[in-house]
């Protein structure tokens, strides 16, 4: 039984949505994650969405997965070779209009599965706009924000944590090992001064003990796409533990949408 809308006929999709299936909208980005990981992290978001749908079915809730939105909002990664970013208003509109395509046919059980930090704000802005216009409540699962919170709890170390490393690296190594090059992983390179001081994180510098948000490009804060001190500690076993928690949570939300969304 497939959950991909693209692989089903139109009558099959119509029948399952009319019967209460949840529409899952995966999204991610096309950006640099360093030399060991694929650019298309939207592929991981899609794989997690499919596994959420399978888990939901076991719990008695059907779900269908739309094709992923592959481009993130313009942030640190504009200008990366091979990368594509959308302006924030454009990306927000794409998310809104994708959701409205389901609302238009009466499907009000919708879940966003977001695999890019730069899409958090557009996804939440789109969900607010949808609620204002249609009254529908669309929850968003921000994969890497939540996986970041689970990283240490599930045994991940601080050295592998950060862009170009965990949690994305371990989860990708678990779900899409065919696309990973762990032998190419390397430690973080040195970052130069920015406004006279090294960056303290993505988009931040410190002055007098206080962080200031500043616009940055990826090479200024993560040379070669790597901000993790040493991503070589990422591994598929850790990724499996992270993915299991995310997938179980997503499947549980599908059940809640089945039971409580109008």
């Amino acid at each position: 039984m497939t959950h991909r809308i693209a692989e089903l006929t139109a009558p099959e999709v119509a029948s399952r949505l009319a019967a209460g299936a949840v529409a899952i909208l995966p999204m991610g980005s096309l950006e640099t994650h360093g030399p060991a990981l694929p650019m298309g992290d939207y592929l991981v978001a899609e794989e997690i969405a499919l596994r959420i749908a399978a888990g939901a079915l076991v719990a008695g809730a059907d779900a269908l997965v739309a094709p992923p939105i592959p481009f993130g909002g313009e942030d640190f990664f504009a200008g990366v070779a091979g990368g594509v970013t959308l302006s924030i208003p454009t990306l927000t509109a794409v998310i809104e209009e994708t959701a409205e395509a389901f609302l238009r046919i009466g499907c009000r059980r919708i879940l966003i599965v977001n695999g890019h930090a730069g899409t958090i704000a557009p996804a939440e802005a789109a969900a607010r706009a949808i609620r204002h216009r249609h009254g529908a409540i669309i929850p968003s699962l921000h994969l890497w924000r939540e996986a970041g919170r689970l990283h240490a709890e599930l045994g991940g170390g601080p050295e592998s944590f950060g862009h170009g490393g965990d949690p994305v690296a371990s989860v990708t190594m678990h779900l899409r090992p065919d696309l990973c090059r762990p032998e190419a992983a390397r430690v973080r390179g040195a970052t130069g001064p920015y406004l006279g001081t090294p960056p303290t994180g993505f988009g931040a510098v410190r002055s007098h003990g206080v962080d200031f948000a500043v616009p940055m490009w990826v090479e200024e804060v993560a040379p070669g796409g790597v901000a993790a001190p040493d991503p070589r500690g990422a591994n598929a076993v850790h990724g499996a533990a992270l993915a299991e928690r995310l997938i179980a949570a997503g499947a549980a939300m599908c059940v809640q949408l089945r039971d409580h969304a109008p």
Side-chain angles (χ1 to χ4, degrees):
M1 181 179 185
T2 184
H3 297 281
R4 296 179 190 267
I5 289 175
E7 295 176 348
L8 294 164
T9 66
E12 289 172 324
V13 173
S15 175
R16 288 170 67 175
L17 290 176
V22 176
I24 303 179
L25 312 182
M27 56 194 70
S29 68
L30 193 62
E31 56 158 276
T32 176
H33 290 279
L37 303 174
M39 293 186 70
D41 58 26
Y42 69 89
L43 296 170
V44 179
E46 181 183 35
E47 183 62 32
I48 289 175
L50 290 167
R51 294 185 184 214
I52 286 172
L57 189 62
V58 171
D62 194 12
L64 297 176
V65 180
I69 298 173
F71 307 130
E74 185 173 21
D75 48 20
F76 306 97
F77 303 101
V80 170
V84 178
T85 60
L86 302 179
S87 70
I88 298 301
T90 297
L91 179 57
T92 304
V94 168
I95 299 169
E96 285 183 38
E97 293 183 24
T98 301
E100 285 183 325
F102 290 95
L103 292 167
R104 196 174 299 124
I105 59 168
C107 173
R108 297 173 68 84
R109 297 176 175 90
I110 300 171
L111 171 65
I112 291 173
V113 175
N114 171 39
H116 179 55
T119 307
I120 291 176
E124 294 186 354
R128 282 192 296 272
I130 290 292
R131 185 166 191 195
H132 284 313
R133 287 201 297 271
H134 304 283
I137 298 175
I138 300 176
S140 297
L141 173 57
H142 301 303
L143 295 173
W144 307 131
R145 185 175 72 183
E146 298 312 307
R149 292 172 178 168
L150 294 168
H151 174 70
E153 175 188 331
L154 296 178
E159 290 299 304
S160 68
F161 186 79
H163 194 79
D166 280 328
V168 177
S170 286
V171 174
T172 305
M173 291 168 71
H174 167 58
L175 295 176
R176 294 301 306 265
D178 55 311
L179 301 178
C180 297
R181 308 289 182 266
E183 71 282 356
R186 59 172 180 76
V187 299
R188 177 184 181 177
T191 56
Y194 195 94
L195 296 180
T197 184
T200 57
F202 265 77
V205 295
R206 184 163 296 173
S207 178
H208 204 65
V210 174
D211 280 351
F212 290 76
V214 294
M216 290 183 182
W217 304 125
V218 63
E219 287 300 319
E220 295 171 318
V221 66
V226 177
D230 189 351
R232 293 175 296 181
N235 63 87
V237 173
H238 184 51
L242 289 167
E244 181 181 1
R245 289 283 291 272
L246 295 170
I247 292 163
M253 178 53 70
C254 287
V255 173
Q256 288 180 242
L257 286 167
R258 179 201 64 188
D259 294 342
H260 301 291

